[in-house]
Every structure is written in C-alpha cells, then in structure tokens.
C-alpha cells in the first residue's frame, strides 16, 4: 500500500500501564482497582492478572528500542496513578515519577513525541474504597495527581490526554461487571459519567496552570458506532458519546439525555460548577476505533425498571444484533467504513477540534514460528490487511476534510487484555509470556516500511 499521508502526519503505537508494566508491588506502587478485580476469582476470563504482564517496568528500554526500530513519530503510553500517588496523603512517590521521566527522556532522545494518558483505568484502590468514580472526591484527586505529574514532566510531554475511554470507566465498570471495579449497578453508573467529565476538566486545568500552551490537551474516547434502527442509534449516541463529549466540548449535557433516562436517573449529582469545570479548551480529540455494532428496537419495554447490571443503562429495550463478518479474534466485526463514518460524524458535530486515532488494531490468533536458522517470526497477514484497510479509510476522511493529525496502532506489544487476560493478542510485537521474549510480527515490519515510505 502506498503511503500518501502528509509528511507531518503522526504515526505511533499505544500501550497502557496496567496492561504492560507488571511489577505491581515494586518501588512503592499501591494496589489499583485492576489488581483487586483481576485477583477476584472468576472476574477475568482465565484468572489472569497484570502482576507480570509484559514486564515492561523492567524491560522498558527494550520496548522503547522497538519503537525506535519502528520509526514512529510518537508513543502513547499511560502513567499509573498508583505509582505516583500511592497513599491518600497526597505525597508523591519520587520513584514513580523517576520511572516515567526516564521513559519521556529516552523517547525524546530517539526523537519520539511522548503522548501521555493520565488515566487508563488503574484507579488507586484507596480511592475506590471511598466510593471511586461514584464519589466526586475522586475527580479532585485526579486533578491533584495531574498537577504532580505536570510539575515533573512539564512541557517535555507533547500531548496530555486526561482519560482513556470514560465510557468503559463508567458503564462497563460501574454499570456492568466487565471491568474493575465491576459493581454492576446499571443506571447507578451515571454519577461516574459526571465525575469522569469533571475529572477531565480538572486535569486539563491543573496541567495547563503549570505547562501553559506548550503542550497539547486531549481526551480519548471510544465512540461506539451503531448501525440499524435510527431511534436506537440516536439514543445510544446520547448515552455513549454525547454524555461525555457535550459536557467536555460544549459545557452542557444534552436535554435529550435527561429525557431518555427519566425514571432511572435524576442527575442530581451534577453540582453547580461541574459543567464549567468539565468544559475546558482542548486541542485534540482522541478516537479509539475497532468495529461497529448493529442494533434494533426490541418489544421489551424500556421502563419499568432498569436496576440490574447493564453496559448501557437507558437502553434496555435495544437489542444488539449479530454483525456481518469477517470478525477478529475478539469477535468484533471488521468495518473500515465505520472508521470513516465515525471520523466524519465526530468532525461534523465538533468541528473545533483536531482528531487523532489514538487506538486501532486487531486481535489475531498469532502463531510464533521458528525458522530453520533459529530466527522467529509471526506471519499475521490478517492484521496487515486490517491495518491497510483502516489506514485507507482514515486517509479518505482526511481527504474529505477531517483535520486528522495522527494514528496510533494498538498495540506495540501483546499485553494484558483486561477481562480476556493474555488470551487475546493485539500486538505488532509478539510476546512469549513464558520467557518475555519479544518477536517482531510481520505487521511490525509492514508498519515500519509504511511509515518510512510516506510523502
Ligand atoms: C456497546 C457494544 C457492546 C454492547 C453489549 C453496547 O453498549 O456499544 O460495544 O457490544 O453494549 O455489551
Ligand atoms: C482500550 C485498550 C484495550 C483495547 C482493546 C480499548 O478499549 O483502551 O486498553 O486493550 O481497547 O480491547
């Protein structure tokens, strides 16, 4: 595939702390909700935990060298709050800051832009014990933590991303039982939505107060894209997308969101000042995109009453239908047109922000092969095909006027895939979990050549 992206287009890869670091008890890190959750029997698919993961806390140099070989312009990684603020007393842990400073400085030596995610789901357990995202105190704690990180890393960071996928951090984590803390409260997750929006704004303000406009500010969302019945799609768009984007980018919740959740949520947890705080200027909106959904209205009534666990409270009368194939190893459909449609729609609605694809990639059943000369390889042709088709869709959106400035492949490495543990491989680098040996997959080599051939 010819690379016709502009010269200044940013190519990168992405990871997240709990998925790669391991070393959960080292250098003063405190437990996070993911440590607690993954150690709860039955919570993850095969009982896997992130205790070791890809051991990147120790192998970070080797991993950053991979990035250098790949020739990326930027690396998106997350900072673990449990390493920086390991106790509720507000005193930063110097060893945690040292670790991320080494990463940032090594990236800069390689000429790779650090794109930091401040919160990728690893909430300190002590905050959860006080109510977690259901308690607005958590939002303020995140703001304080952001200030601590900004004071140390300051303008060496290219882009500060506050949150990764607040949809997952609220609905999947508090509404359903799929992700930590897995409370399954259904509509009881809506306070988490508001407190995540608040935390986003407090983090932007905290970092901007210290760094000013020398860095870019951002937030990353997955924006579930649904096809099918128009009313169902509209309602899901309100719950999954606009419940976050409207407060952050417009300073208000859509009235229709209140209307469709009437009877299951009174939104009385929104306090004066929350929306002003949530609504901060940002430069870039991060889009995580993997697949699309197909939905229809069922003949179940929506009310009464939704009280049980739900991944999407307010949508009990909507059915998720099987999607057309092919599917990835996650069972997700492959729909590059959905990426194009997502970018066009988001830009149409929020034309004031640039867009970056902060995650896109594919889980495959990768097989490590040992060649006759002892070298190893992974022939992941399906992943290359997936990436080629999604890059082409992104380029079409760019040509059609979307201010798309970058693309981060998920992921640099196979890693701890949350509920699915080590059973699902998203990496362009294969990790042999028995030895921690890294092997570049064919998709790594493809991506390296693709980046090098741009312009
Ligand atoms: C999400 C889908 C998910 C479905 C069922 C929806 O809210 O958008 O990604 O498959 O819930 O869990
Ligand atoms: C998350 C990643 C995750 C990926 C694949 C996104 O929801 O940000 O942490 O590994 O999707 O499921």
């Amino acid at each position: 595939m010819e690379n016709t992206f502009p010269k200044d287009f940013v190519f990168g890869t992405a990871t997240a702390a709990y998925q790669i670091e391991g070393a959960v008890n080292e250098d003063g890190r405190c437990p996070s909700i993911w440590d607690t959750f993954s150690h709860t029997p039955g919570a993850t698919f095969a009982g896997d935990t992130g205790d070791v993961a890809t051991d990147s806390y120790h192998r970070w140099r080797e991993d950053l060298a991979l990035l250098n070989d790949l020739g990326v312009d930027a690396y998106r990684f997350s900072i673990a709050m449990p390493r920086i603020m390991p106790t509720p007393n507000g005193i930063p842990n110097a060893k945690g800051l040292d670790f991320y400073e080494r990463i940032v400085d090594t990236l800069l030596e390689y000429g790779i832009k650090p794109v930091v995610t401040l919160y990728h789901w690893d909430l300190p357990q002590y905050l959860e014990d006080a109510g977690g995202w259901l308690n607005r105190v958590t939002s303020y704690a995140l703001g304080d933590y952001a200030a601590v990180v900004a004071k140390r890393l300051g303008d060496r960071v290219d882009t500060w991303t506050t949150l990764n996928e607040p949809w997952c951090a609220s609905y999947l984590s508090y509404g359903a039982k799929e992700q930590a803390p897995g409370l399954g409260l259904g509509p009881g997750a809506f306070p988490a939505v508001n407190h995540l929006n608040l935390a986003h704004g407090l983090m932007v303000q905290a970092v901007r107060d210290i760094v000013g406009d020398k860095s870019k500010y951002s937030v990353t969302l997955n924006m579930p894209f649904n096809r099918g019945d128009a009313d169902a799609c509209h309602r899901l768009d309100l719950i999954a997308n606009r419940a976050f984007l409207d407060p952050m980018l417009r300073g208000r919740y859509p009235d229709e969101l209140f209307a469709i959740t009437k009877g299951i949520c009174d939104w009385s947890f929104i306090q004066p000042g929350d929306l002003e705080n949530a609504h901060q200027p940002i430069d870039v909106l991060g889009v995580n995109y993997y697949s699309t959904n197909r939905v229809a209205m069922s003949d179940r009534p929506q009310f009464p009453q939704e009280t049980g666990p739900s991944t999407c409270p307010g949508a009990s009368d909507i059915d998720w239908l099987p999607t057309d194939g092919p599917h990835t190893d996650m069972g997700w459909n492959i729909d590059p047109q959905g990426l194009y449609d997502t970018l066009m729609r988001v830009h149409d609605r929020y034309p004031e922000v640039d867009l970056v694809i902060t995650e896109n990639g594919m889980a495959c059943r990768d097989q490590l092969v040992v060649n006759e000369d002892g070298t190893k390889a992974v022939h992941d042709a399906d992943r290359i095909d997936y990436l080629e088709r999604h890059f082409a869709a992104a380029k079409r959106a760019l040509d059609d006027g979307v201010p798309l400035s970058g693309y981060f492949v998920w992921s640099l490495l196979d890693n701890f895939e949350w509920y699915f543990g080590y059973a699902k491989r998203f990496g362009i680098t294969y990790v042999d979990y028995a030895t921690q040996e890294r092997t570049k997959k064919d998709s790594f080599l493809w991506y390296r050549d693709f980046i090098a051939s741009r312009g």
Side-chain angles (χ1 to χ4, degrees), residues 167 171-172 178 222-226 236 240 291-293 295 311-313 315 320 332:
W167 184 87
Y171 301 125
L172 285 190
E178 287 175 31
N222 56 324
M223 305 184 196
F225 193 91
N226 300 293
L236 292 172
S291 64
T292 51
N293 304 311
V295 296
T311 57
C312 206
W320 276 267
W332 298 346

Side-chain angles (χ1 to χ4, degrees), residues 16 19 76 120-121 164-165 168 179 222 288 290 330 332 359 410 415-418 426:
Q19 297 182 270
R76 172 177 181 255
H120 201 126
W121 307 350
N164 179 71
E165 301 191 352
C168 297
Q179 299 196 340
N222 56 324
N288 287 356
Y290 291 92
M330 296 295 282
W332 298 346
E359 287 180 31
W410 185 269
N415 59 45
F416 176 77
E417 176 51 32
W418 307 113
F426 273 93

Side-chain angles (χ1 to χ4, degrees), residues 242-273:
R242 293 185 56 192
F244 303 102
L245 288 170
D246 283 19
M248 291 178 186
L249 296 173
R250 295 290 151 78
R252 57 179 153 73
Y253 285 98
D255 289 337
E256 279 182 286
L257 178 64
F258 298 141
I260 64 170
T261 53
K262 198 161 171 270
I264 56 170
C265 178
D266 66 7
W267 298 86
S268 58
F269 43 78
I270 304 173
Q271 292 197 3

